[in-house]
Amino acid sequence: MSRPTIYDVARESGFSIKTVSRVINEAPNVRSETVARVRAAIELLQYHPDPAAQRLGGGKLPTVGVVVDSVDDPFFAQVIAVIEARAMDAGMDVLVASTGMDETRMRTQIRRLARRGVAGLVVAPFGDTRTVEEALPDDVPVVVIDRKCGVTSKDVVRVTDEQGATDAVRHLVARGHRRIGFLGKLSAFDTLVDRFNGYERALTEAGIEVDPQLVETRAWTSDEAYPYALAMLATSDAPTAVFAASPMMGLGVLRAQQRLHRQDVALVIFGDYPVAELMTPPTTVVDQRPVALADTAFDHLVRRIQDPDAEVLDTVLPTLLVPRGSGELAPRGVA
């Protein structure tokens, strides 16, 4: 069983995480009834604040900065929530900033947080290696998450993008699919290149030649993906399955399927999204496991703050294929 978190205490007690944190850290002006309920939940769950994180909060810089693409992105929303919970265990604050996937804005946000005197930064970078390396400060502990962007001087926590994509396409091949489409903008991130490599690898293993007509690498947003998916699925030799390299690509495919009434096309999306289980059929996904990624990133940040000269780590966590229905559809005419 996993260690109870401050989220579990909040859920059990019926109070917000902020209120639970105030009780844990013995903040003034908290009602006695509130304290009693929170402490009862703590005792019931046998919750213990993270001692390593608590040591972080004992210094004079009790704030963690988090820089991500967008706070609206479901993946990063989960990452932020976990880091916030871990930081609150230590009585620390969290400052969140978004890059909008713009290099200039990323540099500005990182500098802004560094000037605020954060104890450390968790950053999802955007840009080429030189841009990212120059943007990351040397005088503040930094952990890079989700994508490497060629960074070698900072701790990195990411997932097995290529293997996750390979697993997804193998899953489709095993159901009898030979014409499998791909959507994902390869110039956006190294992660998407890795996912394309996984797509290509799985097809090659199965003796299937990659068909350029089934590969679309120009779209980034769901609005951009939609017309490409529409064109791909409307042809007489349309793919019987599609692998979407991100939730945004996947949503574009889902819109095209709905427009064309093509729910017979199998679909696997790299990355989960909030209503995936509510679709018809429910969407099969490659889960990036944002909770595990954020937990690991926070552990790395604690380590880096406590030992600035520690060995630089490049940690790669496994993804998980989650079959729900859409990825299990067989091609038309195949039982």
Side-chain angles (χ1 to χ4, degrees):
M1 182 180 294
S2 60
R3 180 177 68 89
T5 69
I6 197 171
Y7 271 104
D8 298 318
V9 176
R11 190 180 303 110
E12 179 66 31
S13 66
F15 291 108
S16 68
I17 292 174
K18 185 174 182 179
T19 297
V20 172
S21 180
R22 294 186 69 215
V23 172
I24 291 171
N25 293 287
E26 300 181 350
N29 303 320
V30 182
R31 295 175 59 188
S32 58
E33 296 89 344
T34 300
V35 172
R37 281 174 55 184
V38 170
R39 287 179 176 169
I42 288 172
E43 184 175 353
L44 176 66
L45 297 170
Q46 296 186 327
Y47 165 77
H48 301 285
D50 186 338
Q54 282 192 307
R55 288 195 292 273
L56 259 182
K60 62 179 182 179
L61 301 174
T63 305
V64 171
V66 183
V67 182
V68 297
D69 298 349
S70 169
V71 296
D72 293 332
D73 185 301
F75 172 79
F76 286 118
Q78 289 187 68
V79 168
I80 292 166
V82 172
I83 293 174
E84 182 180 49
R86 293 289 303 276
M88 281 185 166
D89 270 354
M92 301 177 72
D93 289 327
V94 176
L95 294 176
V96 178
S98 62
T99 67
M101 292 178 290
D102 177 87
E103 294 175 1
T104 301
R105 181 170 166 176
M106 176 186 68
R107 287 192 294 269
T108 299
Q109 296 285 44
I110 291 172
R111 284 197 300 266
R112 182 176 65 85
L113 292 178
R115 285 197 300 267
R116 297 282 293 271
V118 294
L121 288 165
V122 177
V123 179
F126 179 80
D128 58 30
T129 302
R130 181 176 177 180
T131 299
V132 174
E133 288 276 15
E134 289 179 350
L136 300 176
D138 292 325
D139 56 346
V140 177
V142 175
V143 175
V144 169
I145 59 166
D146 186 47
R147 58 192 77 112
K148 189 175 176 69
C149 289
V151 172
T152 58
S153 62
K154 311 294 182 186
D155 295 322
V156 178
V157 182
R158 53 198 175 103
V159 300
T160 51
D161 287 284
E162 182 171 339
Q163 186 60 54
T166 301
D167 293 341
V169 179
R170 282 176 178 165
H171 187 72
L172 293 168
V173 170
R175 268 100 193 129
H177 295 281
R178 305 284 297 178
R179 292 185 57 74
I180 302 172
F182 174 92
L183 273 88
K185 189 170 185 177
L186 300 192
S187 62
F189 299 116
D190 51 357
T191 54
L192 295 184
V193 174
D194 289 341
R195 293 170 198 175
F196 177 76
N197 290 340
Y199 162 83
E200 193 173 42
R201 174 177 144 199
L203 292 183
T204 301
E205 286 176 354
I208 303 172
E209 186 175 346
V210 176
D211 185 345
Q213 299 301 315
L214 302 183
V215 175
E216 178 49 61
T217 63
R218 290 170 290 181
W220 172 243
T221 67
S222 60
D223 285 342
E224 291 172 347
Y226 171 65
Y228 292 124
L230 199 63
M232 186 183 291
L233 296 181
T235 60
S236 58
D237 58 348
T240 61
V242 174
F243 171 60
S246 76
M248 288 181 285
M249 299 298 97
L251 292 174
V253 176
L254 287 165
R255 286 174 58 194
Q257 286 182 304
Q258 188 175 51
R259 171 72 179 274
L260 297 170
H261 305 289
R262 291 298 309 272
Q263 275 67 40
D264 59 311
V265 177
L267 174 65
V268 179
I269 297 176
F270 199 109
D272 210 350
Y273 64 99
V275 297
E277 294 184 270
L278 303 179
M279 303 302 293
T280 304
T283 310
T284 295
V285 300
V286 176
D287 187 357
Q288 294 171 270
R289 301 174 62 231
V291 171
L293 184 140
D295 258 331
T296 304
F298 193 83
D299 287 341
H300 283 17
L301 190 63
V302 171
R303 169 183 173 273
R304 179 59 55 189
I305 293 171
Q306 294 176 340
D307 184 4
D309 298 321
E311 177 188 2
V312 175
L313 300 177
D314 182 6
T315 303
V316 185
L317 304 176
T319 55
L320 177 67
L321 182 69
V322 183
R324 293 193 180 123
S326 69
E328 291 64 64
L329 298 175
R332 281 181 175 177
V334 177

